[in-house]
Amino acid sequence: MFSVKDQIVLITGASSGIGKACAQLFAQAGAKLILVARRQQLLEQLAEQLSKDFSCHLHVICLDVCDWRGSASAKGNRSGVQSAINNLPEPWSAVDILVNNAGLSRGLDKLHEGSIQDWEEMIDTNIKGLLYMTRALVSGMVSRGKGHVINIGSIAGHQTYPGGNVYCATKAAVRAISEGLKQDLLGTPVRVSSVDPGMVETDFSKVRFHGDTERAQKVYQGLTPLTPEDVADVVFFCATRPLHVNISDVLMIPTDQASATLFNRQ
Ligand code: NDP
Ligand code: 8X3
């Protein structure tokens, strides 16, 4: 087994759901954590809690993964992915494990009735954000001869469901990117894994339905979905295999789910 103790693990989307559960598990195992998301206050609360519970080393970056270059405005400079990663303080610069988890769905509309803004947000976050983080960090992994990228895909990357059109396309893209990255890294020791969950109860549906909590709750009614901790378990399993073992792709679903559209609801 590979120990993640003292390994530098960067988790995107650590402010909530699956990313937060991953942070808890890696912190418990003694990893040094870089927590990334846009909601700084949630990251800082989590960092404080993890530091209290596990005395682990933590670094928080408030960052929009969709923003490569950043910007300067009257309100001050906003770091993009490029400068946030290039300017990591020295003790944090050699990231060993990247968990590309930040992502979202917006809407469940038919394609011909869909919102362009929703599409752009999904494409920018789920595809471009994941690519930016990967581009910024993997070249360092290659030159150091050490690293692991764990992408959070989805059952939606394997099967398309009605109204899922663009979200499913972004997760199919994540699947293709994981595959392509693995091919491009062949001959280096850097591993690439894809963890593709079915239904997990998080803020995902609340975000999908733009804050309509009643509609979001109905998604999980009458069945037992996966928990964020279930997914974090598998991410941690991938990260802790011996270095000659790469868990390439894991599709994990609740027992109450058989496909992207088939559920056992009581
Ligand atoms: P949550 O809504 O609970 O978490 C999403 C996380 O992504 C938040 O921490 C959010 O942080 C972060 N995020 C979103 N956009 C950005 C951005 N532009 N820059 C930085 N961080 C961002 O949902 P989940 O935990 O369920 O989702 C995590 C991943 O799991 C996603 O990729 C999702 O597609 C995938 N997934 C989820 C499933 C589910 O059923 N829940 C099933 C399969 C896959 P903040 O808002 O603070 O920036
Ligand atoms: C999230 C799961 O089935 O809502 O990726 O697309 S699903």
Side-chain angles (χ1 to χ4, degrees), residues 83-139:
S83 63
I85 300 303
N86 286 346
N87 297 326
L88 276 169
E90 203 279 320
W92 293 99
S93 60
V95 172
D96 298 296
I97 300 172
L98 164 62
V99 182
N100 266 323
N101 162 77
L104 45 72
S105 65
R106 285 295 200 188
L108 198 58
D109 302 319
K110 293 179 191 291
L111 188 73
H112 60 285
E113 294 165 355
S115 147
I116 304 289
Q117 198 186 326
D118 283 352
W119 297 355
E120 287 183 341
E121 207 178 339
M122 290 186 278
I123 292 166
D124 285 350
T125 313
N126 302 356
I127 305 179
K128 289 164 77 176
L130 178 139
L131 282 171
Y132 293 162
M133 293 304 301
T134 305
R135 180 66 185 85
L137 286 162
V138 172
S139 54

Side-chain angles (χ1 to χ4, degrees), residues 153-156 161 167-168 171 197-200 204 208 257 260 263:
S154 170
I155 191 172
Y161 51 84
Y167 177 72
C168 296
K171 290 299 184 178
M199 184 185 283
V200 191
F204 177 86
R208 163 167 264 173
Q257 179 172 17
F263 297 95

Side-chain angles (χ1 to χ4, degrees), residues 157-175:
H158 298 253
Q159 297 166 15
T160 306
Y161 51 84
N165 43 64
V166 176
Y167 177 72
C168 296
T170 66
K171 290 299 184 178
V174 171
R175 208 169 156 212

Side-chain angles (χ1 to χ4, degrees), residues 27-28 44-58:
Q28 199 172 356
E44 277 167 4
Q45 279 167 8
L46 176 63
E48 201 181 309
Q49 188 65 48
L50 295 179
S51 156
K52 207 166 87 192
D53 292 350
F54 307 114
S55 311
C56 56
H57 296 276
L58 292 140

Side-chain angles (χ1 to χ4, degrees), residues 79-80 221:
S79 271
Q221 244 167 34

Side-chain angles (χ1 to χ4, degrees), residues 13 15-16 18 38-39 64-65 101 153 167 171 197-198 200 202 204:
S15 60
S16 167
I18 295 168
R38 293 164 302 178
R39 288 172 292 175
D64 182 339
V65 295
N101 162 77
Y167 177 72
K171 290 299 184 178
V200 191
T202 63
F204 177 86

